[in-house]
Amino acid sequence: MNISARNIFKGSISSIVKGAVNAEVTITLASGTPIVSIVTIGAVERLGLQEGMAASAIIKASTVILGTNLHDAKMSARNILCGTVTRVIDGPVSCEVDLEIGVGEVLSAVITHGSAEKLGFAEGSHACAIFKASSVIIGVD
């Protein structure tokens, strides 16, 4: 299956915490970067998710929020990944910003042109990506 989501990160499941309805699943990438997802218990069972198994974290670029100086930020979003801007595609309405978050791992975000301009994103600048755990889809082969 091919999908339109730009951000597909392969890793392994490092933890599963089950609740009554949902489960928190952490996928750790090769770089050691953890990505947290919230999925239903039904999805955990249907996909046969288990600690140690290979899985992919899938995040739509439009669900990623970008900012600067967020290393110590306190917020409800579980995923805050910081890195270096590797590319900015500037458009009149929206911009795509690519952020290297680990060795060879690049996360893409689509933000408004005004936001990109206000934040001054350029190749080589530092930025942080924020996205909620409920925005992360889990895929397995």
Side-chain angles (χ1 to χ4, degrees):
M1 174 189 309
N2 291 315
I3 60 173
S4 62
R6 194 147 336 160
N7 298 304
I8 303 170
F9 299 103
K10 293 183 182 285
S12 62
I13 297 174
S14 53
S15 73
I16 300 173
V17 178
K18 291 183 180 179
V21 176
N22 291 329
E24 177 184 274
V25 180
T26 302
I27 297 173
T28 300
L29 309 182
S31 65
T33 301
I35 296 179
V36 179
S37 176
I38 298 291
V39 296
T40 64
I41 295 296
V44 170
E45 293 169 355
R46 184 173 40 80
L47 295 171
L49 301 182
Q50 297 177 17
E51 289 183 15
M53 76 182 287
S56 295
I58 303 163
I59 308 109
K60 288 182 58 77
S62 60
T63 65
V64 177
I65 297 168
L66 294 180
T68 58
N69 302 317
L70 298 174
H71 291 280
D72 297 321
K74 292 178 172 66
M75 62 184 66
S76 63
R78 291 297 308 275
N79 298 290
I80 303 174
L81 309 177
C82 298
T84 304
V85 174
T86 58
R87 181 172 73 153
V88 178
I89 300 174
D90 197 16
V93 176
S94 298
C95 294
E96 177 184 325
V97 180
D98 291 347
L99 182 67
E100 184 174 329
I101 58 168
V103 182
E105 296 164 343
V106 177
L107 182 133
S108 296
V110 174
I111 62 173
T112 65
H113 172 80
S115 292
E117 205 170 59
K118 177 181 172 184
L119 292 164
F121 290 131
E123 287 184 29
S125 62
H126 181 78
C128 295
I130 304 159
F131 50 94
K132 294 174 66 169
S134 59
S135 296
V136 179
I137 297 166
I138 296 177
V140 295
D141 290 327

